[in-house]
Amino acid sequence: MARPFTCCGANIICLMPEKTPTTKKGLRARFLLPLLYALPVVFVLGLCGYMAYGRLSHQGPPVRKISAAPFATVKIQGLDERLEAQLFAQGNALRAAGNDLFIEFRGEKGKLADVGEVSFMLALRMPNSVMHSIGKVMRTATPGQYRTTLDPGLAGEWTATLSFSGPRGKAEAVFSVQVL
């Protein structure tokens, strides 16, 4: 049955029935459309919540255990005394990837000795090339103890150069290190 309605003063007859039948596809679209808009919002809120939880839980990076015994000990002549540098890693040798290196300088009486700025470099000499691995050496809270990270990349017999410059003068030691 047609129903009349008024638009701009003119009577217009609508030929559409009063109740339009709805299909299952129309109901599904009405349900899925809000869900489609809600999923990205829920995803972003979840990601932000995960990141906030990580910051609030104060989880630091994983800590690697340093060996109690040094894998190398080197004698270095300082300005006025002979020093001994002990190098510690996660095991009894350096690895080809991801090393935390701990360096201690001790005086003749076995006491820790602050030597100032320290540098440590590894070099692997091969035919027609030389490969280097250099770590930025940083001081720890204890004077005479230093820390660095190294990533040589290849196993083999590397040449290590340990040097310092500071209150005990300038000195350098070159020695061989096995990288596994």
Side-chain angles (χ1 to χ4, degrees):
M1 176 178 273
R3 59 186 161 91
F5 69 92
T6 306
C7 177
C8 300
N11 281 338
I12 300 173
I13 296 177
C14 180
L15 299 177
M16 297 274 303
E18 285 186 21
K19 290 188 175 181
T20 309
T22 57
T23 63
K24 286 187 177 182
K25 287 183 181 179
L27 288 175
R28 193 177 314 150
R30 284 186 186 166
F31 175 73
L32 290 178
L33 193 59
L35 186 64
L36 182 68
Y37 287 123
L39 282 177
V41 173
V42 170
F43 176 75
V44 169
L45 288 175
L47 185 62
C48 290
Y50 175 75
M51 289 172 41
Y53 173 75
R55 282 197 177 185
L56 293 176
S57 65
H58 300 292
Q59 295 174 349
V63 177
R64 297 180 185 146
K65 283 194 143 195
I66 300 292
S67 170
F71 72 88
T73 302
V74 181
K75 304 277 187 195
I76 303 176
Q77 182 60 44
L79 186 62
D80 57 352
E81 68 178 311
R82 188 175 190 100
L83 299 171
E84 183 178 80
Q86 295 178 336
L87 287 82
F88 300 86
Q90 290 96 325
N92 56 359
L94 291 177
R95 305 280 179 237
N99 294 286
D100 280 335
L101 184 65
F102 186 74
I103 305 168
E104 278 187 351
F105 289 92
R106 296 195 176 267
E108 292 174 352
K109 296 178 183 174
K111 293 180 80 176
L112 287 172
D114 186 17
V115 295
E117 296 298 315
V118 176
S119 68
F120 187 78
M121 179 182 75
L122 291 175
L124 179 64
R125 302 196 190 297
M126 299 176 287
N128 301 323
S129 67
V130 177
M131 194 170 170
H132 293 280
S133 180
I134 301 170
K136 178 172 174 54
V137 180
M138 297 174 281
R139 295 175 188 248
T140 64
T142 306
Q145 294 180 339
Y146 299 85
R147 214 177 180 111
T148 186
T149 57
L150 292 170
D151 194 13
L154 288 176
E157 192 74 26
W158 290 70
T159 303
T161 304
L162 177 65
S163 61
F164 65 83
S165 173
R168 300 188 185 262
K170 288 177 110 175
E172 181 177 275
V174 179
F175 54 99
S176 180
V177 173
Q178 183 70 33
V179 176
L180 304 176

